Amino acid sequence: MAIGGDDLDVLTIAEHVVAAPPAERVEVRARKVHLKTFGCQMNVYDSERMSEALAADGYTPTGDLDDADLVILNTCHIREKAAEKVYSELGRVRAVRLDRERQGKSTVVAVTGCVAQAEGAEIVRRAPVVDLVVGPQSYHRLPGLVARAEAGAPAVVEIEFPEEDKFDHLPVRRAAQGEAKRAPTAFLTVQEGCDKFCTFCVVPYTRGAELSRPVAAVVAEARRLVAQGVREITLLGQNVNSYHGELADGSAASLAGLIHQLATIEGLARIRYTTSHPRDMTDELIAAHADEPKLMPYLHLPFQAGADRILATMNRKHTAADYLSLVARIRRARPDIALSTDIIVGFPGETEVDFQATLDLVREVGFAQAYSFKYSPRPGTPASNLDEQVAEEVKAERLARLQTLLESHQSAFNQGLVGRVLPVLFDRPGRRAGQMLGRSPYLQVVHVDGGPELLGSIREVEIVSAGPNSLAGVIEPA
Ligand code: 5AD
Ligand code: SF4
């Protein structure tokens, strides 16, 4: 139940934000918002949508906490460390708020995202500086809630899964104020939530049941992004390859179907998607990697652990052999595909022999990229109650060994690209003047000497050197 009551008329908020033409809109006071994002790409996407919604209420972004009338921490609950970061950040926010109060300025503080969803009112109890706690399904209500907090309303915790779809109540996507164009790459959330219930994971609890956005809504958002200068879209979902969005005739489209539709958008050059579950890698989706030139040869496919015993306790519903035969099928469709994965070490009961099976699987596949974590018990998940929790120092030691192996594979993959000519999409200036950064089809950052005129263009680049995390190249003459 929401604390502080919630008799808010959501449609009114949405109309205020979405429909009111600028001339009729009540005078908006210029204020600043400091929005800090923790965690995954889905949070990055949510943060963008929040800041777009708040822009309509006169909020412009600031990187400076002291300068912010509104502070939002968009949080992650996946591992304990991620969640604890929020509380240390709130300590800093409290000090700044007190300082601002002494200068006669007020500050509204909001916690959004997965810690908000998981901990709710506990956040306000632990950190009374917080005015608003808003879950990932309710952030379309943020502008209205902020307005009430500014007017002095008591703290509000808004973590129910509302009936209405937040995407229908958010303003359509616009480039940032004062900017004609967006960055060349964008995220687009097409699916949220998860029904898989891996026993270590909080996502099914914080993000709720699987839900796919209708195809027409996704295509409309993609078209807008492309019209604003976007050339590459990464489709996001906690379980994106289980996407089953409604089509106009009431039937459901698969992720492959969605990708083929998006590929018809002129000006959109590249499509990616993440994160996928091995069980939902259909033949149709694998075939799309062979048939759809706009679909990039990169796939993030977590396997989590190499021992079948551990995979079973994790409730992954696949074995190591299933994963390997899936990888073989994917590579038959797209031999050069760069594979990426997530791996957990020290899941309860993991022995040295089990861990060796993880190393074996890594050796067998050879990942171009990987994210590896020490198991972190999360409150409310089945694995947190298992006996045989692995000691912290054992986890740390296994993680170090695993990461050494992963880094060697990543370096080898990058090194294998030296001498090749790859199409690179330039998306930002480098740190040094006269340097531009882009992405290869395999998602590595590529450094070249070049000017800002490259931004948003795709150019053929000869790769001349490779480091563990990036490539350097020379643009081929046109
Ligand atoms: N402990 C450690 N890692 C976890 N992940 C999810 N839950 C946990 C946990 N409790 C990892 C998984 C997942 C990635 C997003 O985070 O590898 O794929
Ligand atoms: Fe979490 Fe992914 Fe498993 Fe879903 S499939 S429970 S999001 S690890």
Side-chain angles (χ1 to χ4, degrees), residues 121-326:
E122 171 67 10
I123 297 175
V124 184
R125 203 191 57 72
R126 242 180 105 174
V129 67
V130 174
D131 301 294
L132 301 171
V133 176
V134 182
Q137 297 312 324
S138 305
Y139 66 74
H140 56 299
R141 296 182 174 178
L142 197 61
L145 293 169
V146 168
R148 292 194 344 169
E150 279 175 338
V156 172
V157 177
E158 179 61 72
I159 56 170
E160 279 167 80
F161 287 81
E163 286 282 307
E164 79 276 4
D165 181 347
K166 68 175 173 241
F167 294 111
D168 293 341
H169 294 268
L170 286 164
V172 289
R173 310 215 50 194
R174 290 204 173 85
Q177 244 174 357
E179 282 177 31
K181 281 189 150 198
R182 284 181 175 273
T185 60
F187 293 134
L188 201 175
T189 292
V190 302
Q191 180 277 332
E192 288 190 285
C194 183
D195 296 341
K196 293 281 190 297
F197 289 92
C198 299
T199 55
F200 51 80
C201 186
V202 286
V203 167
Y205 312 97
T206 55
R207 291 275 176 164
E210 266 184 25
L211 202 103
S212 296
R213 293 178 68 191
V215 171
V218 174
V219 171
E221 188 171 331
R223 282 191 190 285
R224 274 194 157 265
L225 292 171
V226 172
Q228 291 162 17
V230 168
R231 310 232 34 217
E232 172 181 298
I233 291 180
T234 302
L235 306 175
L236 299 180
Q238 264 95 22
N239 225 308
V240 74
N241 60 341
S242 75
Y243 177 83
H244 50 276
E246 199 176 282
L247 285 158
D249 65 3
S251 65
S254 63
L255 183 64
L258 178 70
I259 288 168
H260 288 305
Q261 270 219 37
L262 292 171
T264 64
I265 299 177
E266 212 175 312
L268 179 62
R270 293 178 162 192
I271 302 170
R272 302 179 185 276
Y273 61 93
T274 199
T275 285
S276 296
H277 192 287
R279 294 262 300 189
D280 295 319
M281 240 15 248
T282 60
D283 289 343
E284 190 196 15
L285 186 54
I286 294 172
H289 279 281
D291 306 338
E292 182 47 72
K294 290 187 179 181
L295 184 58
M296 289 295 99
Y298 182 95
L299 175 62
H300 183 65
L301 194 63
F303 77 84
Q304 313 296 1
D308 290 344
R309 206 171 72 74
I310 298 294
L311 286 168
T313 322
M314 283 179 163
N315 192 31
R316 288 290 294 176
K317 301 192 174 81
H318 62 78
T319 62
D322 294 336
Y323 188 86
L324 286 171
S325 75
L326 179 58

Side-chain angles (χ1 to χ4, degrees), residues 78-79 200-202 275 300 302 304 316 342-344 371 373-378 381:
I78 198 95
R79 286 169 289 277
F200 51 80
C201 186
V202 286
T275 285
H300 183 65
Q304 313 296 1
R316 288 290 294 176
D342 290 339
I343 306 167
I344 296 175
Y371 303 86
F373 314 99
K374 288 187 278 183
Y375 169 69
S376 167
R378 307 308 293 127
T381 58

